Amino acid sequence: MTAKIIDGKAIAQEIRADLAKHVAQLTAQGNTPGLTVVLVGDNPASKVYVRSKQRACEEAGINSTVHRLAEETTQEELLDLITQLNADSTVHGILVQLPLPGHLNEEEVINAILPEKDVDGFHPINVGKLQIGAGGFVPCTPAGILELVKRTEVPIAGQNVVVLGRSNIVGKPVATLFLQENATVTICHSRTKDVAAEARRADILIAAVGRPKLVKRDWVKPGAVVIDVGINRVNGKIVGDVDFEEVKEVAGAITPVPGGVGPMTIAMLLKATVEAAARG
Ligand code: GUN
């Protein structure tokens, strides 16, 4: 069997086209959605992500501003900027690109963002709302993964979902989202006894650990849906957490890297920004 390739790029493009229409309506009402991204320092991967986010905003008609701050920016300077952005009614979404340089306190910075502008869904208020299913902003990558799986039209309720990785940005929130969809969810991590055996039980396997080609053919149940969240640079090439060439021979459906989850993350960020503007 050869897996269906889930085309995240095409699905994200559809979502962005729909969003552009909504943005046009809001703009006609004098309420153009605005996203402000804060980038501190020179992390090369962060610079690439921020540029992609900015380009996608422009394409959809969303106002996008990027504050590029020097590596040596102080905590106080960064918090002052967040305070200004919180008070600016043209800024509907605030995103501080992570990771921050080591001398800065990420948690304090995230806590300073108004929850209603926290389009990343990282503020503890939004994290808590996600846990209890109370709305609020959901982290963009997990939201994109759920959307991708829904659009592959596989059932979720009652299925075994196995998540590899327990980060606050992907692993934990994606597990919560699939639990809310009535899946039976297992989270694996570096101390899990037999990760391959857990992975083989998955109807939907989500790999978000940041280890190139970790997931091999014999980790995957025939016909399973495999979602690869990894973005690993190996010899100048981007590879996922899944050994795509091997796993596509056994999976029912699989996301490529690049062109799978990545474009969905950006589409969900735009969606959150438009929602923030629409809420007023
Ligand atoms: N760094 C890697 N992924 C993300 C993300 O989704 N949001 C932010 N702010 N930083 C990131």
Side-chain angles (χ1 to χ4, degrees):
M1 180 166 55
T2 300
K4 168 189 154 84
I5 311 296
I6 302 173
D7 189 346
K9 203 171 160 187
I11 295 170
Q13 194 52 50
E14 278 174 35
I15 294 170
R16 282 160 54 176
D18 286 344
L19 282 172
K21 289 180 205 154
H22 195 175
V23 172
Q25 284 168 4
L26 289 165
T27 298
Q29 296 160 15
N31 185 26
T32 304
L35 174 70
T36 295
V37 175
V38 180
L39 173 61
V40 186
D42 295 312
N43 182 311
S46 291
K47 283 182 174 174
V48 173
Y49 296 147
V50 167
R51 254 199 306 277
S52 307
K53 289 169 185 174
Q54 196 176 17
R55 219 178 299 129
C57 280
E58 283 162 8
E59 233 184 81
I62 294 171
N63 281 335
S64 134
T65 310
V66 181
H67 289 262
R68 292 185 171 80
L69 306 183
E71 181 86 19
E72 55 275 11
T73 298
T74 65
Q75 183 77 4
E76 197 186 350
E77 286 167 334
L78 185 51
L79 291 174
D80 281 349
L81 174 60
I82 305 282
T83 304
Q84 272 177 43
L85 298 172
N86 281 341
D88 183 340
S89 62
T90 68
V91 175
H92 302 101
I94 302 170
L95 182 150
V96 177
Q97 187 67 30
L98 303 180
L100 288 171
H103 67 281
L104 296 172
N105 179 340
E106 249 170 41
E107 190 182 345
E108 193 183 28
V109 171
I110 290 168
N111 289 354
I113 298 170
L114 272 182
E116 52 271 33
K117 295 193 179 192
D118 168 41
V119 284
D120 252 332
F122 293 168
H123 190 286
I125 290 273
N126 286 318
V127 175
K129 282 186 169 180
L130 175 60
Q131 280 302 312
I132 60 172
F137 290 112
V138 175
C140 301
T141 299
I145 292 168
L146 180 61
E147 190 68 30
L148 268 185
V149 172
K150 283 187 168 172
R151 286 178 186 238
T152 61
E153 293 176 0
V154 292
I156 299 175
Q159 301 294 295
N160 289 333
V161 172
V162 176
V163 180
L164 309 181
R166 55 174 158 179
S167 69
N168 289 333
I169 294 185
V170 182
K172 285 184 211 163
V174 85
T176 304
L177 280 180
F178 278 86
L179 180 61
Q180 275 164 4
E181 297 290 329
N182 300 309
T184 301
V185 181
T186 304
I187 305 178
C188 298
H189 47 78
S190 53
R191 305 286 288 271
T192 298
K193 274 188 196 154
D194 187 346
V195 184
E198 298 292 345
R200 269 194 298 276
R201 293 177 30 250
D203 300 304
I204 300 169
L205 179 61
I206 301 169
V209 281
R211 301 253 310 264
K213 298 191 182 184
L214 175 74
V215 176
K216 300 294 182 191
R217 182 192 179 106
D218 65 345
W219 287 37
V220 176
K221 178 161 81 175
V225 175
V226 179
I227 305 292
D228 190 349
V229 191
I231 302 179
N232 309 290
R233 192 174 290 272
V234 179
N235 301 326
K237 207 173 156 245
I238 300 293
V239 297
D241 290 351
V242 176
D243 192 326
F244 183 84
E245 291 308 318
E246 272 191 38
V247 171
K248 80 176 191 327
E249 299 304 324
V250 55
I254 185 168
T255 61
V257 175
V261 173
M264 292 298 289
T265 296
I266 295 185
M268 292 298 116
L269 172 65
L270 303 189
K271 187 168 176 227
T273 305
V274 173
E275 275 170 19
R279 281 182 206 165

